[in-house]
Amino acid sequence: MSTATITATCPECDATVNFDRAPLNGEIARCTDCSAELEVINTDPITLELAPEVEEDWGE
Amino acid sequence: MRIAMTYTRLRVEERMLIDAFEDLGADVTPIDLRTVVFNPTSLGEWAQYDAVFDRSLSLTNTLTSIRILESLGVRCINPLHAIETCADKLATTLAFIRAGVPTPEVRVAVDSDSGLDAIEQLGYPCVLKPTVGSWGRLVSRINDRDAAESILEHREVLGSVNHSVVYAQEHINKPDRDIRVFVVGGNAIAAIERRSEHWLTNTARGAVAAGMEVTPELADLSTRAVASVGADIAAVDLLECPSRGLLVNEINHSMEFRNSTTTTGVDIHRVVAQHTLDIAQAHASQAAGDGDIHPVQRACDASIDGEGAGSSGTPEREGVLA
């Protein structure tokens, strides 16, 4: 039995980033190779960019 | 029920909530606020939702969207007033004082010189906090006058105008932990302790969380605190004062809980989703009783047609349309 793999490329280190299901725009992911925090900016095809640093008004 | 969940970044919590809504049979639509253009006079696509559940990471985006949507008659979770109160530590303190909720003493000033007096009234050590901020950012323990003068000068020179407000809080010599209670629909559903050897016990600053019992005292204080700010769903942070017992420190209107479901054994996301659906159902039923017109649609129609107050809308809607 095969499992479909959803992947994208880390913009920081070019490694493959795996998703266990289809991500949504704005979803935060982490590259397991370089530990960069990434944000999904497009879902078709899945495109990642470095997630922004914490901003002053972020929080709970 | 159709729920719009607004966000700016999708974290683990938002994914958990989407799953919970879907498990409960709700139709949930995640909406990235960065893609939205609001027309304050017309609901447009928002009319299809029974409620809007805000999960934006950005307070600015939350306030902007909820101000508009609530003014158009949308039931937002949390309500605007609750968000505005929780987001501002001074407003929260005032709400606690009015409601008789025990909380650390504060002194407030709007100038560095009077700010120094405010700090010295409390004595050393005390805690200086920005009135708006989260995750322990720029929260400082002031141990002596030298530190007070230094921090105040830094804030004056480097800070934004918001930092000109000096909100000084009594330092509570708590054990190496604080307590967080999750309150949903007026019920304290779970609690954690956040333990750290550092005086700051935010998990964002490295504190370790563990589940703990919701004692009757914790439940009573937490639910009273949440009632005082009018929140549907919130996390209450409490400190244990050696001399005065439990004190409520602050309330978080958009709580994080990813690590608290396993430590407490409570599916916090599921309880939150169910309560959101209950609110949406009640809002829709109330509107149906008002004339079988979707509440959002009626507010939208009235806004577009220029109908004023005096129609069969609720007082809240009449206020908007007047």
Side-chain angles (χ1 to χ4, degrees):
Chain A
M1 190 175 107
S2 67
T3 302
T5 307
I6 303 169
T7 63
T9 302
C10 174
E12 182 76 352
C13 72
D14 218 30
T16 298
V17 178
N18 294 302
F19 293 87
D20 56 9
R21 58 179 169 175
L24 297 168
N25 270 330
E27 191 153 336
I28 300 297
R30 187 174 290 280
C31 174
T32 53
D33 273 34
C34 71
S35 298
E37 194 169 51
L38 307 168
E39 179 183 351
V40 177
I41 58 165
N42 196 356
T43 54
D44 188 19
I46 299 171
T47 309
L48 304 171
E49 68 178 20
L50 289 174
E53 297 293 320
V54 172
E55 295 182 15
E56 190 180 357
D57 73 336
W58 285 14
E60 295 186 88
Chain B
M1 289 288 103
R2 299 200 70 184
I3 305 294
M5 192 181 83
T6 52
Y7 71 94
T8 47
R9 298 289 185 296
L10 265 179
R11 297 162 290 174
V12 174
E13 280 85 357
E14 283 71 48
R15 268 294 197 179
M16 293 169 77
L17 287 163
I18 291 169
D19 290 345
F21 278 119
E22 291 177 345
D23 286 348
L24 291 167
D27 184 354
V28 58
T29 305
I31 298 176
D32 185 343
L33 283 172
R34 294 169 298 176
T35 67
V36 176
V37 176
F38 289 99
N39 178 348
T41 66
S42 172
L43 273 167
E45 295 293 315
W46 296 96
Q48 65 189 294
Y49 302 111
D50 295 299
V52 169
F53 184 44
D54 165 66
R55 286 294 305 178
S56 169
L57 191 56
S58 156
L59 175 63
T60 308
N61 294 353
T62 291
L63 290 174
T64 301
S65 54
I66 300 302
R67 277 177 182 141
I68 296 169
L69 293 170
E70 196 169 281
S71 82
L72 288 167
V74 179
R75 180 59 163 93
C76 298
I77 299 152
N78 280 303
L80 176 64
H81 175 71
I83 296 169
E84 288 177 332
T85 305
C86 294
D88 186 303
K89 289 182 174 58
L90 175 56
T92 305
T93 296
L94 298 176
F96 290 165
I97 291 170
R98 285 193 300 269
V101 173
T103 189
E105 274 196 49
V106 300
R107 295 292 183 274
V108 181
V110 294
D111 178 85
S112 289
D113 289 340
S114 52
L116 188 58
D117 292 341
I119 290 168
E120 300 230 310
Q121 277 190 24
L122 291 171
Y124 301 104
C126 72
V127 179
L128 210 55
K129 298 180 173 182
T131 51
V132 177
S134 192
W135 296 335
R137 282 193 306 271
L138 298 178
V139 173
S140 310
R141 181 163 68 181
I142 310 291
N143 290 328
D144 55 33
R145 186 181 175 98
D146 287 345
E149 289 175 341
S150 176
I151 293 282
L152 290 172
E153 183 181 1
H154 277 85
R155 286 171 56 142
E156 196 169 61
V157 174
L158 301 174
S160 69
V161 67
N162 292 330
H163 291 139
S164 66
V165 176
V166 176
Y167 174 95
Q169 187 185 62
E170 166 193 17
H171 178 263
I172 304 298
N173 190 24
K174 63 183 190 297
D176 293 340
R177 69 171 191 177
D178 74 356
I179 297 169
R180 168 165 289 194
V181 180
F182 298 92
V183 176
V184 180
N187 297 307
I189 63 163
I192 57 169
E193 63 164 23
R194 303 185 298 180
R195 197 169 280 280
S196 174
E197 291 181 4
H198 195 278
W199 72 276
L200 279 172
T201 42
N202 304 75
T203 47
R205 304 291 289 262
V208 177
M212 64 181 290
E213 179 192 358
V214 182
T215 63
E217 185 184 14
L218 277 178
D220 173 62
L221 256 186
S222 303
T223 52
R224 282 170 51 207
V226 170
S228 77
V229 301
D232 301 310
I233 295 161
V236 183
D237 293 345
L238 302 103
L239 307 173
E240 296 158 288
C241 176
S243 57
R244 283 180 287 153
L246 285 169
L247 303 176
V248 181
N249 188 32
E250 62 182 43
I251 300 186
N252 303 278
H253 66 269
S254 183
M255 62 211 192
E256 293 169 326
F257 51 81
R258 71 182 69 179
N259 298 318
S260 300
T261 52
T262 49
T263 52
T264 64
V266 177
D267 287 337
I268 295 170
H269 50 301
R270 192 174 174 91
V271 180
V272 167
Q274 182 61 63
H275 185 59
T276 300
L277 293 175
D278 292 345
I279 291 172
Q281 179 69 61
H283 190 60
S285 299
Q286 179 193 349
D290 284 348
D292 295 321
I293 303 173
H294 191 289
V296 167
Q297 190 61 55
R298 169 152 8 86
C300 181
D301 292 345
S303 295
I304 292 169
D305 296 344
E307 293 174 11
S311 64
S312 59
T314 64
E316 182 182 30
R317 250 174 268 132
E318 288 173 0
V320 168
L321 302 174

